[in-house]
Amino acid sequence: MSESVVKNGLVDAEKRTWLIASSAVGALGTAAVVAPFVASFQPSERAKAAGAAVEADISALKPGEKMTVEWRGKPVWIVRRTPEMLAALPKLDDQLVDPASTRKPDEQAPAYARNATRSIKPEYLVTIGICTHLGCSPSDKFQAGPQPSLPDDWQGGFLCPCHGSTFDLAGRVFKNKPAPDNLEIPPHMYLSDSKLLIGDDKKA
């Protein structure tokens, strides 16, 4: 009888081990199936590269700050401009190549961004951060005033470190610089006060 109990105990232990192992394998299999399914709700890297729209949360962006998101493999800058930054823009028109974005309008900016601030909401600049000369990425030079490689009356903007092109805080290029055009404004729209959709401006 004791031998039978030992055997039953062994069988029970083997069953328990088998149940634990098969449950673990089942859980791993479920996770392997569910993870790609959940991930499928987000645009793939290939879809992003092909131009899938990208959402940006701008709720934490403070006046005077910039954030960068990637769309189509390019950096898209979102700058929250201060009232002082906005007030300086009209004073620069005579120093700019294309202050009203009338040159190559369909390439440079959607119709809703062909205005003095080149934006839907004046507070926010949304632009592709690639110089229109040879494709370098300009540096932030938001502080006004004299600085190396910048004029003494600098009002804030961007400086391309490759060949010295300068852009104001609306992404408009200054005269007598290598870059021929303003920074490009991508299609975009606001989903809410704190959410921006880059790459799509058509409401479903």
Side-chain angles (χ1 to χ4, degrees):
M1 187 147 187
S2 60
E3 190 178 330
S4 172
V5 170
V6 169
K7 281 183 180 172
N8 286 342
L10 260 169
V11 168
D12 287 347
E14 286 174 2
K15 282 183 182 176
R16 194 170 27 245
T17 303
W18 184 83
L19 283 171
I20 291 169
S22 60
S23 297
V25 169
L28 286 171
T30 302
V33 170
V34 170
F37 179 72
V38 171
S40 71
F41 289 111
Q42 297 296 323
S44 67
E45 292 306 314
R46 177 182 265 177
K48 285 180 186 176
V54 177
E55 277 190 34
D57 184 349
I58 57 173
S59 59
L61 195 61
K62 295 175 184 170
E65 290 184 346
K66 180 189 91 173
M67 66 181 284
T68 304
V69 297
E70 186 180 337
W71 174 66
R72 289 187 172 178
K74 300 174 183 176
V76 176
W77 297 338
I78 304 165
V79 181
R80 187 172 178 186
R81 296 177 286 203
T82 64
E84 294 77 20
M85 289 173 169
L86 289 168
L89 292 178
K91 302 173 188 173
L92 302 171
D93 285 4
D94 61 343
Q95 301 176 45
L96 304 168
V97 172
D98 184 17
S101 295
T102 54
R103 183 178 173 179
K104 300 182 186 173
D106 295 331
E107 293 175 31
Q108 281 197 355
Y112 49 78
R114 291 178 212 149
N115 52 45
T117 59
R118 299 186 81 222
S119 60
I120 298 171
K121 295 183 178 184
E123 190 176 0
Y124 293 99
L125 169 67
V126 180
T127 189
I128 294 176
I130 296 177
C131 181
T132 55
H133 179 218
L134 292 177
C136 296
S137 187
S139 304
D140 304 345
K141 296 293 180 182
F142 293 169
Q143 169 120 19
Q147 297 165 62
S149 303
L150 293 169
D152 290 346
D153 62 349
W154 181 248
Q155 297 295 311
F158 307 96
L159 169 67
C160 183
C162 293
H163 302 98
S165 293
T166 48
F167 304 85
D168 73 353
L169 282 163
R172 302 176 299 178
V173 68
F174 283 84
K175 292 176 180 175
N176 304 315
K177 299 294 179 179
D181 299 307
N182 298 335
L183 297 179
E184 184 185 341
I185 306 292
H188 63 282
M189 60 188 282
Y190 289 86
L191 301 175
S192 69
D193 287 341
S194 61
K195 286 279 171 99
L196 189 60
L197 186 67
I198 298 161
D200 189 4
D201 53 11
K202 310 283 189 299
K203 292 186 179 176

